[in-house]
Amino acid sequence: DALAQARPGVGQGHHAHNLLKGGEQSIERLLPGITAEMFARGAVPYRTGFDLRVYDDGQWLPRRDLGYTNIAASRPLIESTVLARLLREPNVHMRSDTVVEDYSYDEHDQVNGVSIRTPNGSPEVLHADLVVDCTGRASHLQESLAAHGYDNPPQYKINMGLSYTSAVFEAPEGCLDTK
């Protein structure tokens, strides 16, 4: 499944991922049955605080069954399951080999869609009530808005001093005991 492969440029794409309960509930409300689809494709339920062991500051934290489960899966599995489900919706269409060149603006300089270049090279405008730019650092949104007289929004950066790493390893003898 080509959709279930890690994408280049996604820094945590190869890490193990947890779909936390709030995210699961939100996605399930929008796409009923999606968690069952994730399990069918290999996602694993785990009891939070009990099935997942945490080693912090030189010690294993005590096991506690917090009374609910989360979903463990690769990021590509979560993303590809949601995408495959969205593409089954009658009002969702995906265009391949299409480049978004700019945002389109109405006569009042309000964003009303995107200007694209189709696979055969012809320009086209796709009108929309809502445009969401998910391109991350590669986005040209600020330049486009500035060209239409908008000021850049203020940016706030907070260094939390946090990072994370994941690895596959063999658990030490006894750490998975249920005591």
Side-chain angles (χ1 to χ4, degrees):
D1 184 348
L3 294 176
Q5 303 301 312
R7 293 178 287 122
V10 178
Q12 296 83 24
H14 62 283
H15 289 264
H17 278 70
N18 299 318
L19 181 57
L20 300 178
K21 188 51 80 179
E24 174 192 338
Q25 291 169 336
S26 295
I27 293 172
E28 190 68 34
R29 270 193 301 276
L30 293 170
L31 303 169
I34 192 73
T35 53
E37 291 180 39
M38 287 184 206
F39 291 137
R41 294 182 69 194
V44 177
Y46 68 93
R47 292 171 293 172
T48 302
F50 192 77
D51 293 331
L52 180 73
R53 296 301 313 263
V54 176
Y55 189 76
D56 186 35
D57 198 25
Q59 62 184 351
W60 289 100
L61 297 182
R63 297 173 89 176
R64 295 184 183 101
D65 189 345
L66 300 177
Y68 62 94
T69 60
N70 282 341
I71 297 173
S74 69
R75 181 174 176 153
L77 185 144
I78 295 168
E79 290 178 348
S80 65
T81 304
V82 170
L83 178 59
R85 176 64 180 280
L86 284 172
L87 292 176
R88 291 196 311 261
E89 296 294 319
N91 61 340
V92 175
H93 306 280
M94 184 169 156
R95 292 184 177 219
S96 298
D97 302 318
T98 302
V99 177
V100 174
E101 294 189 323
D102 200 358
Y103 305 90
S104 70
Y105 296 83
D106 64 17
E107 64 277 0
H108 305 291
D109 274 336
Q110 300 292 313
V111 173
N112 68 353
V114 291
S115 300
I116 65 168
R117 177 109 10 229
T118 64
N120 68 9
S122 60
E124 186 179 335
V125 174
L126 299 177
H127 293 284
D129 294 327
L130 174 67
V131 175
V132 179
D133 182 342
C134 299
T135 53
R137 287 180 247 174
S139 174
H140 298 289
L141 177 61
Q142 290 188 352
E143 293 90 343
S144 180
L145 291 174
H148 287 270
Y150 291 95
D151 292 332
N152 284 336
Q155 290 187 7
Y156 302 96
K157 294 183 180 183
I158 300 171
N159 183 352
M160 300 286 292
L162 295 175
S163 62
Y164 70 92
T165 301
S166 64
V168 176
F169 60 93
E170 188 173 329
E173 184 70 35
C175 84
L176 299 177
D177 292 342
T178 58
K179 297 177 187 175

